Each structure stands twice: as C-alpha cells, then as structure tokens.
Amino acid sequence: MATYVLIPGAGGESWYWHRLVPELRERGHDVVAADLPAGDDSAGLREYADTVVKAIGDRSGLVLVAQSMGGLTAPLVCERLPVELLVLLNAMVPAPGESGGAWWKNTGQAQAMADQAVREGRTPSAEFDPEECFFHDVPQDVKAEALSREEPPQSSTPFAEPWPLSAWPGTPTVFLQGRDDRLFPLEFQRRVVRERLGIEVDDMPGGHLLALSRPKELAERLEAYRTRPR
C-alpha cells in the first residue's frame, strides 16, 4: 500500500482531487489530499510545505502528486520527508531563486498560451476566461458543481518570494501533462521541463484539470508510475 499525497494548485483546495481520491482508495491506497493556506497573506511556500508535512504525519510509502502551482511546494516537502516518487501534473517548475510571479515571464507562458489558442482556432483574448481555459473538457455536471462553488482566494505571497531551494531535490520525478491544456500547452511544458529538470514529459488526453476531467485514467497513470522500476 502506498500513501498518495495530493497537492492542489492555486486556491489550495483539496476539493480539486475529490474524483481521484476514491479511485486511488479503491486500489488499496491511503490518500492525503491537502488543503493549503491559500487565503492567508502571511503564508509563503515554506508554510504551504509545513501544511502538507503536517497532513502526512507519520505515514510512509509517499507518492506526491502536485498540480499546477503545487509544483512550487512539492519539492520543499521532498526536502523534508522520504518521498519515494514525485509526480508533477500540469505543473510549474521553478528555478532556484526565481519567484512564482517571475516564472510566467521567464518561461514565455503568455506567448505559448496565445499561440495555442491560434492553433486551436480560438481568438487569443486579453481577458482571461477561466471557464474556457480550465473547464473545456470537464464533464458538465462536474463543471457546474465547480462553478457553483465560491472561488477560493489565492494570496500573492507565494508568488512574490524567491523559490527557496538551491537545486531540485534528488527525489525520483516524473512529469505528466494534459495534451489539451490551454494554460500550459504541451510543447511549452516539454521545453521548460527539459531545460529545468532534464527529463521528458509524458502526456495524456485532457486539459489543465485532469483530476476533474479524467480521474480514472489519471489513477491508472499514477499506478503505472508507482509500480515501474526506478
């Protein structure tokens, strides 16, 4: 039995994982879905990592899965606990000393997102549309539930501070990307991950919110990563 530790992206809500959690538990695993202090302006990445470490407690057999902004926090957890595998999921990959806010410009995310819109026959818009960007492949009932929820706050504090590690931790790391992600397009992620981690990106069908749109397929991918020789 493994312990899957699920770290959400911006907004920090464990609800994001609510369709994936039963899939992993049905496969016999313990699951920790963390809620992060995203609305607390006094909380930075160290405090986010503290929250995850506290949620894990004395559990072992740790597999961390970090969604989107969660890529800033997960490596800090790997520095503190014996994590067996880190799975980055449509994630941000920071460079040492780079703030989360600077990441967007440094990686060229805005241009990559606009180019992706053109390739898909959409008009790049100056006004960000979360529904179009995030929920285009999420089932209608799940989308309706998500949009009916109060939008969780996200403090700017974790984006303002330099990423605190001097290097990526030695934890075995894999990167899984939704090939239909409109926020972080696949080829953009291939370039960033190759440059910053020196590993290749795996992909699967789906957009930015794979745990909402394709939880069963995602669970199968995670299990394949967990059980393959490393």
Side-chain angles (χ1 to χ4, degrees):
M1 181 184 77
T3 300
Y4 279 97
V5 182
L6 310 179
I7 303 176
E13 287 195 317
S14 62
W15 180 87
Y16 168 70
W17 303 107
H18 78 281
R19 301 191 74 204
L20 178 64
V21 169
E23 293 287 345
L24 296 173
R25 286 181 174 156
E26 285 174 8
R27 290 164 171 79
H29 302 299
D30 191 8
V31 183
V32 176
D35 282 300
L36 301 179
D40 183 355
D41 285 335
S42 69
L45 294 175
R46 293 289 189 190
E47 288 71 30
Y48 283 36
D50 289 344
T51 300
V52 177
V53 169
K54 183 177 180 180
I56 293 170
D58 61 358
R59 294 174 174 89
S60 59
L62 304 178
V63 177
L64 262 60
V65 184
Q67 158 74 15
S68 194
M69 180 190 170
L72 305 180
T73 300
L76 279 66
V77 178
C78 293
E79 284 275 287
R80 296 173 55 180
L81 295 176
V83 175
E84 296 184 1
L85 178 66
L86 170 59
V87 182
L88 296 171
L89 183 64
N90 291 352
M92 298 171 69
V93 177
E98 177 184 64
S99 70
W103 178 92
W104 304 85
K105 182 177 180 181
N106 291 349
T107 59
Q109 181 274 341
Q111 186 62 55
M113 181 177 173
D115 292 345
Q116 181 72 11
V118 171
R119 284 193 294 271
E120 293 180 356
R122 296 179 290 111
T123 302
S125 173
E127 184 174 348
F128 183 74
D129 183 347
E131 188 170 346
E132 178 183 83
C133 185
F134 295 138
F135 292 98
H136 57 96
D137 69 323
V138 175
Q140 284 298 319
D141 58 333
V142 180
K143 172 182 171 181
E145 182 181 358
L147 295 178
S148 71
R149 296 169 56 85
E150 183 177 351
E151 183 176 358
Q154 176 56 62
S155 168
S156 63
T157 300
F159 289 102
E161 61 184 21
W163 193 63
L165 299 186
S166 60
W168 198 263
T171 305
T173 300
V174 295
F175 199 107
L176 179 60
Q177 178 70 26
R179 67 177 68 116
D180 309 306
D181 191 341
R182 294 177 174 176
L183 182 68
F184 302 156
L186 176 59
E187 293 309 314
F188 161 79
Q189 289 284 56
R190 289 194 193 281
R191 172 178 57 80
V192 172
V193 173
R194 189 179 299 116
E195 291 173 354
R196 297 190 169 197
L197 296 182
I199 63 176
E200 296 302 315
V201 169
D202 292 337
D203 64 85
M204 64 176 281
H208 194 66
L209 305 180
L210 292 170
L212 291 180
S213 63
R214 298 174 181 268
K216 183 178 180 63
E217 293 171 64
L218 178 55
E220 291 169 352
R221 286 295 191 109
L222 296 177
E223 282 289 82
Y225 291 139
R226 183 185 66 83
T227 57
R228 77 183 184 186
R230 293 193 291 274

mmCIF file of all heavy atoms in Angstrom, residues 149-180:
data_model
loop_
_atom_site.group_PDB
_atom_site.id
_atom_site.type_symbol
_atom_site.label_atom_id
_atom_site.label_comp_id
_atom_site.label_asym_id
_atom_site.label_seq_id
_atom_site.Cartn_x
_atom_site.Cartn_y
_atom_site.Cartn_z
ATOM 1 N N ARG A 149 -19.358 26.707 -6.749
ATOM 2 C CA ARG A 149 -18.620 26.909 -5.513
ATOM 3 C C ARG A 149 -18.025 28.321 -5.475
ATOM 4 O O ARG A 149 -17.703 28.898 -6.509
ATOM 5 C CB ARG A 149 -17.486 25.871 -5.393
ATOM 6 C CG ARG A 149 -17.987 24.448 -5.292
ATOM 7 C CD ARG A 149 -16.833 23.450 -5.448
ATOM 8 N NE ARG A 149 -15.768 23.676 -4.493
ATOM 9 C CZ ARG A 149 -15.743 23.206 -3.252
ATOM 10 N NH1 ARG A 149 -16.753 22.451 -2.826
ATOM 11 N NH2 ARG A 149 -14.730 23.447 -2.449
ATOM 12 N N GLU A 150 -17.894 28.842 -4.278
ATOM 13 C CA GLU A 150 -17.244 30.143 -4.137
ATOM 14 C C GLU A 150 -15.786 30.014 -4.564
ATOM 15 O O GLU A 150 -15.087 29.089 -4.150
ATOM 16 C CB GLU A 150 -17.333 30.617 -2.695
ATOM 17 C CG GLU A 150 -16.751 31.997 -2.462
ATOM 18 C CD GLU A 150 -16.920 32.461 -1.029
ATOM 19 O OE1 GLU A 150 -17.636 31.788 -0.260
ATOM 20 O OE2 GLU A 150 -16.327 33.507 -0.678
ATOM 21 N N GLU A 151 -15.323 30.947 -5.394
ATOM 22 C CA GLU A 151 -13.952 30.887 -5.868
ATOM 23 C C GLU A 151 -12.990 31.050 -4.697
ATOM 24 O O GLU A 151 -13.072 32.032 -3.949
ATOM 25 C CB GLU A 151 -13.681 31.970 -6.906
ATOM 26 C CG GLU A 151 -12.280 31.893 -7.490
ATOM 27 C CD GLU A 151 -12.053 32.904 -8.598
ATOM 28 O OE1 GLU A 151 -13.000 33.643 -8.927
ATOM 29 O OE2 GLU A 151 -10.928 32.949 -9.141
ATOM 30 N N PRO A 152 -12.088 30.099 -4.509
ATOM 31 C CA PRO A 152 -11.183 30.202 -3.366
ATOM 32 C C PRO A 152 -10.181 31.330 -3.565
ATOM 33 O O PRO A 152 -9.727 31.587 -4.683
ATOM 34 C CB PRO A 152 -10.475 28.836 -3.356
ATOM 35 C CG PRO A 152 -10.529 28.375 -4.774
ATOM 36 C CD PRO A 152 -11.840 28.896 -5.319
ATOM 37 N N PRO A 153 -9.818 32.025 -2.498
ATOM 38 C CA PRO A 153 -8.824 33.096 -2.627
ATOM 39 C C PRO A 153 -7.430 32.514 -2.823
ATOM 40 O O PRO A 153 -7.144 31.386 -2.408
ATOM 41 C CB PRO A 153 -8.924 33.821 -1.284
ATOM 42 C CG PRO A 153 -9.361 32.756 -0.312
ATOM 43 C CD PRO A 153 -10.282 31.863 -1.103
ATOM 44 N N GLN A 154 -6.579 33.262 -3.477
ATOM 45 C CA GLN A 154 -5.184 32.882 -3.609
ATOM 46 C C GLN A 154 -4.316 34.103 -3.326
ATOM 47 O O GLN A 154 -4.280 35.044 -4.109
ATOM 48 C CB GLN A 154 -4.868 32.310 -4.991
ATOM 49 C CG GLN A 154 -3.401 31.976 -5.205
ATOM 50 C CD GLN A 154 -2.862 31.009 -4.165
ATOM 51 O OE1 GLN A 154 -3.331 29.872 -4.068
ATOM 52 N NE2 GLN A 154 -1.882 31.426 -3.380
ATOM 53 N N SER A 155 -3.632 34.074 -2.205
ATOM 54 C CA SER A 155 -2.729 35.153 -1.840
ATOM 55 C C SER A 155 -1.591 35.266 -2.842
ATOM 56 O O SER A 155 -1.150 34.271 -3.433
ATOM 57 C CB SER A 155 -2.164 34.889 -0.443
ATOM 58 O OG SER A 155 -1.092 35.753 -0.155
ATOM 59 N N SER A 156 -1.082 36.472 -3.022
ATOM 60 C CA SER A 156 0.060 36.684 -3.905
ATOM 61 C C SER A 156 1.391 36.380 -3.225
ATOM 62 O O SER A 156 2.436 36.352 -3.890
ATOM 63 C CB SER A 156 0.058 38.131 -4.401
ATOM 64 O OG SER A 156 0.213 39.033 -3.310
ATOM 65 N N THR A 157 1.363 36.130 -1.931
ATOM 66 C CA THR A 157 2.612 35.930 -1.180
ATOM 67 C C THR A 157 3.496 34.828 -1.753
ATOM 68 O O THR A 157 4.703 35.043 -1.943
ATOM 69 C CB THR A 157 2.303 35.663 0.302
ATOM 70 O OG1 THR A 157 1.591 36.786 0.844
ATOM 71 C CG2 THR A 157 3.577 35.448 1.102
ATOM 72 N N PRO A 158 2.965 33.635 -2.056
ATOM 73 C CA PRO A 158 3.850 32.591 -2.577
ATOM 74 C C PRO A 158 4.440 32.916 -3.944
ATOM 75 O O PRO A 158 5.458 32.337 -4.324
ATOM 76 C CB PRO A 158 2.927 31.366 -2.666
ATOM 77 C CG PRO A 158 1.770 31.667 -1.791
ATOM 78 C CD PRO A 158 1.598 33.141 -1.857
ATOM 79 N N PHE A 159 3.818 33.840 -4.676
ATOM 80 C CA PHE A 159 4.330 34.224 -5.986
ATOM 81 C C PHE A 159 5.376 35.332 -5.887
ATOM 82 O O PHE A 159 6.123 35.564 -6.829
ATOM 83 C CB PHE A 159 3.186 34.693 -6.886
ATOM 84 C CG PHE A 159 2.267 33.591 -7.328
ATOM 85 C CD1 PHE A 159 1.035 33.412 -6.726
ATOM 86 C CD2 PHE A 159 2.641 32.728 -8.350
ATOM 87 C CE1 PHE A 159 0.189 32.389 -7.126
ATOM 88 C CE2 PHE A 159 1.806 31.711 -8.759
ATOM 89 C CZ PHE A 159 0.581 31.532 -8.151
ATOM 90 N N ALA A 160 5.416 36.021 -4.751
ATOM 91 C CA ALA A 160 6.310 37.165 -4.604
ATOM 92 C C ALA A 160 7.691 36.766 -4.105
ATOM 93 O O ALA A 160 8.673 37.454 -4.369
ATOM 94 C CB ALA A 160 5.698 38.184 -3.654
ATOM 95 N N GLU A 161 7.792 35.659 -3.374
ATOM 96 C CA GLU A 161 9.064 35.283 -2.764
ATOM 97 C C GLU A 161 9.900 34.415 -3.697
ATOM 98 O O GLU A 161 9.365 33.662 -4.514
ATOM 99 C CB GLU A 161 8.803 34.525 -1.464
ATOM 100 C CG GLU A 161 8.027 33.234 -1.652
ATOM 101 C CD GLU A 161 7.679 32.538 -0.349
ATOM 102 O OE1 GLU A 161 7.681 33.204 0.706
ATOM 103 O OE2 GLU A 161 7.419 31.327 -0.373
ATOM 104 N N PRO A 162 11.229 34.486 -3.604
ATOM 105 C CA PRO A 162 12.088 33.610 -4.405
ATOM 106 C C PRO A 162 11.884 32.154 -4.000
ATOM 107 O O PRO A 162 11.714 31.851 -2.813
ATOM 108 C CB PRO A 162 13.506 34.079 -4.067
ATOM 109 C CG PRO A 162 13.347 35.436 -3.473
ATOM 110 C CD PRO A 162 12.011 35.444 -2.793
ATOM 111 N N TRP A 163 11.904 31.275 -4.983
ATOM 112 C CA TRP A 163 11.816 29.849 -4.661
ATOM 113 C C TRP A 163 13.044 29.491 -3.824
ATOM 114 O O TRP A 163 14.180 29.782 -4.217
ATOM 115 C CB TRP A 163 11.758 29.034 -5.950
ATOM 116 C CG TRP A 163 11.368 27.623 -5.735
ATOM 117 C CD1 TRP A 163 10.184 27.159 -5.249
ATOM 118 C CD2 TRP A 163 12.152 26.462 -6.020
ATOM 119 N NE1 TRP A 163 10.177 25.786 -5.206
ATOM 120 C CE2 TRP A 163 11.372 25.333 -5.673
ATOM 121 C CE3 TRP A 163 13.440 26.268 -6.533
ATOM 122 C CZ2 TRP A 163 11.838 24.030 -5.821
ATOM 123 C CZ3 TRP A 163 13.908 24.971 -6.685
ATOM 124 C CH2 TRP A 163 13.116 23.869 -6.332
ATOM 125 N N PRO A 164 12.850 28.867 -2.653
ATOM 126 C CA PRO A 164 13.923 28.837 -1.656
ATOM 127 C C PRO A 164 14.985 27.749 -1.802
ATOM 128 O O PRO A 164 15.986 27.793 -1.084
ATOM 129 C CB PRO A 164 13.156 28.645 -0.343
ATOM 130 C CG PRO A 164 11.913 27.912 -0.725
ATOM 131 C CD PRO A 164 11.564 28.423 -2.092
ATOM 132 N N LEU A 165 14.805 26.790 -2.680
ATOM 133 C CA LEU A 165 15.800 25.723 -2.784
ATOM 134 C C LEU A 165 16.922 26.118 -3.742
ATOM 135 O O LEU A 165 16.700 26.832 -4.715
ATOM 136 C CB LEU A 165 15.143 24.424 -3.261
ATOM 137 C CG LEU A 165 14.038 23.840 -2.362
ATOM 138 C CD1 LEU A 165 13.603 22.487 -2.895
ATOM 139 C CD2 LEU A 165 14.479 23.740 -0.913
ATOM 140 N N SER A 166 18.118 25.609 -3.460
ATOM 141 C CA SER A 166 19.263 25.896 -4.324
ATOM 142 C C SER A 166 19.335 24.949 -5.511
ATOM 143 O O SER A 166 20.055 25.208 -6.483
ATOM 144 C CB SER A 166 20.563 25.811 -3.526
ATOM 145 O OG SER A 166 20.729 24.500 -2.979
ATOM 146 N N ALA A 167 18.596 23.846 -5.445
ATOM 147 C CA ALA A 167 18.571 22.866 -6.530
ATOM 148 C C ALA A 167 17.336 21.995 -6.363
ATOM 149 O O ALA A 167 16.747 21.915 -5.280
ATOM 150 C CB ALA A 167 19.835 22.005 -6.520
ATOM 151 N N TRP A 168 16.948 21.332 -7.439
ATOM 152 C CA TRP A 168 15.824 20.393 -7.368
ATOM 153 C C TRP A 168 16.236 19.212 -6.503
ATOM 154 O O TRP A 168 17.378 18.743 -6.579
ATOM 155 C CB TRP A 168 15.461 19.915 -8.775
ATOM 156 C CG TRP A 168 14.096 19.315 -8.855
ATOM 157 C CD1 TRP A 168 13.785 17.991 -8.796
ATOM 158 C CD2 TRP A 168 12.858 20.025 -8.988
ATOM 159 N NE1 TRP A 168 12.419 17.827 -8.890
ATOM 160 C CE2 TRP A 168 11.824 19.055 -9.003
ATOM 161 C CE3 TRP A 168 12.525 21.371 -9.099
ATOM 162 C CZ2 TRP A 168 10.482 19.381 -9.132
ATOM 163 C CZ3 TRP A 168 11.184 21.705 -9.219
ATOM 164 C CH2 TRP A 168 10.181 20.726 -9.229
ATOM 165 N N PRO A 169 15.341 18.704 -5.653
ATOM 166 C CA PRO A 169 15.706 17.576 -4.790
ATOM 167 C C PRO A 169 15.982 16.311 -5.599
ATOM 168 O O PRO A 169 15.574 16.191 -6.761
ATOM 169 C CB PRO A 169 14.478 17.405 -3.894
ATOM 170 C CG PRO A 169 13.357 18.036 -4.647
ATOM 171 C CD PRO A 169 13.960 19.160 -5.432
ATOM 172 N N GLY A 170 16.657 15.362 -4.978
ATOM 173 C CA GLY A 170 17.029 14.127 -5.665
ATOM 174 C C GLY A 170 15.919 13.102 -5.767
ATOM 175 O O GLY A 170 16.150 11.991 -6.254
ATOM 176 N N THR A 171 14.721 13.433 -5.342
ATOM 177 C CA THR A 171 13.574 12.524 -5.407
ATOM 178 C C THR A 171 13.293 12.107 -6.849
ATOM 179 O O THR A 171 13.260 12.957 -7.739
ATOM 180 C CB THR A 171 12.328 13.224 -4.840
ATOM 181 O OG1 THR A 171 12.599 13.688 -3.524
ATOM 182 C CG2 THR A 171 11.126 12.286 -4.828
ATOM 183 N N PRO A 172 13.085 10.814 -7.107
ATOM 184 C CA PRO A 172 12.665 10.409 -8.457
ATOM 185 C C PRO A 172 11.435 11.203 -8.880
ATOM 186 O O PRO A 172 10.452 11.285 -8.138
ATOM 187 C CB PRO A 172 12.352 8.923 -8.298
ATOM 188 C CG PRO A 172 13.187 8.476 -7.137
ATOM 189 C CD PRO A 172 13.216 9.657 -6.200
ATOM 190 N N THR A 173 11.511 11.794 -10.071
ATOM 191 C CA THR A 173 10.477 12.726 -10.515
ATOM 192 C C THR A 173 10.018 12.380 -11.921
ATOM 193 O O THR A 173 10.841 12.124 -12.803
ATOM 194 C CB THR A 173 11.020 14.174 -10.503
ATOM 195 O OG1 THR A 173 11.428 14.514 -9.173
ATOM 196 C CG2 THR A 173 9.955 15.170 -10.965
ATOM 197 N N VAL A 174 8.702 12.367 -12.118
ATOM 198 C CA VAL A 174 8.136 12.234 -13.453
ATOM 199 C C VAL A 174 7.191 13.398 -13.692
ATOM 200 O O VAL A 174 6.691 14.022 -12.750
ATOM 201 C CB VAL A 174 7.385 10.892 -13.642
ATOM 202 C CG1 VAL A 174 8.339 9.722 -13.544
ATOM 203 C CG2 VAL A 174 6.258 10.745 -12.641
ATOM 204 N N PHE A 175 6.965 13.694 -14.962
ATOM 205 C CA PHE A 175 6.111 14.828 -15.324
ATOM 206 C C PHE A 175 5.029 14.347 -16.277
ATOM 207 O O PHE A 175 5.326 13.799 -17.335
ATOM 208 C CB PHE A 175 6.942 15.930 -15.996
ATOM 209 C CG PHE A 175 6.267 17.269 -15.999
ATOM 210 C CD1 PHE A 175 6.713 18.278 -15.169
ATOM 211 C CD2 PHE A 175 5.178 17.517 -16.818
ATOM 212 C CE1 PHE A 175 6.092 19.527 -15.156
ATOM 213 C CE2 PHE A 175 4.548 18.744 -16.818
ATOM 214 C CZ PHE A 175 5.013 19.752 -15.977
ATOM 215 N N LEU A 176 3.762 14.565 -15.895
ATOM 216 C CA LEU A 176 2.617 14.173 -16.705
ATOM 217 C C LEU A 176 1.830 15.418 -17.074
ATOM 218 O O LEU A 176 1.451 16.213 -16.208
ATOM 219 C CB LEU A 176 1.725 13.194 -15.940
ATOM 220 C CG LEU A 176 0.462 12.718 -16.658
ATOM 221 C CD1 LEU A 176 0.797 12.001 -17.966
ATOM 222 C CD2 LEU A 176 -0.361 11.806 -15.737
ATOM 223 N N GLN A 177 1.576 15.575 -18.363
ATOM 224 C CA GLN A 177 0.928 16.774 -18.876
ATOM 225 C C GLN A 177 -0.308 16.418 -19.695
ATOM 226 O O GLN A 177 -0.277 15.494 -20.514
ATOM 227 C CB GLN A 177 1.909 17.550 -19.762
ATOM 228 C CG GLN A 177 1.365 18.794 -20.402
ATOM 229 C CD GLN A 177 1.104 19.908 -19.403
ATOM 230 O OE1 GLN A 177 1.735 19.959 -18.348
ATOM 231 N NE2 GLN A 177 0.184 20.800 -19.722
ATOM 232 N N GLY A 178 -1.389 17.154 -19.477
ATOM 233 C CA GLY A 178 -2.556 17.024 -20.341
ATOM 234 C C GLY A 178 -2.252 17.642 -21.692
ATOM 235 O O GLY A 178 -1.894 18.816 -21.764
ATOM 236 N N ARG A 179 -2.420 16.857 -22.753
ATOM 237 C CA ARG A 179 -2.013 17.369 -24.062
ATOM 238 C C ARG A 179 -2.968 18.439 -24.599
ATOM 239 O O ARG A 179 -2.670 19.090 -25.595
ATOM 240 C CB ARG A 179 -1.874 16.226 -25.065
ATOM 241 C CG ARG A 179 -3.130 15.509 -25.462
ATOM 242 C CD ARG A 179 -2.845 14.435 -26.515
ATOM 243 N NE ARG A 179 -2.062 13.344 -25.961
ATOM 244 C CZ ARG A 179 -2.508 12.083 -25.851
ATOM 245 N NH1 ARG A 179 -3.722 11.775 -26.275
ATOM 246 N NH2 ARG A 179 -1.757 11.145 -25.339
ATOM 247 N N ASP A 180 -4.121 18.623 -23.928
ATOM 248 C CA ASP A 180 -5.084 19.639 -24.344
ATOM 249 C C ASP A 180 -5.115 20.828 -23.387
ATOM 250 O O ASP A 180 -6.053 21.630 -23.422
ATOM 251 C CB ASP A 180 -6.480 19.021 -24.458
ATOM 252 C CG ASP A 180 -6.476 17.758 -25.302
ATOM 253 O OD1 ASP A 180 -5.990 17.826 -26.448
ATOM 254 O OD2 ASP A 180 -6.926 16.704 -24.820
#
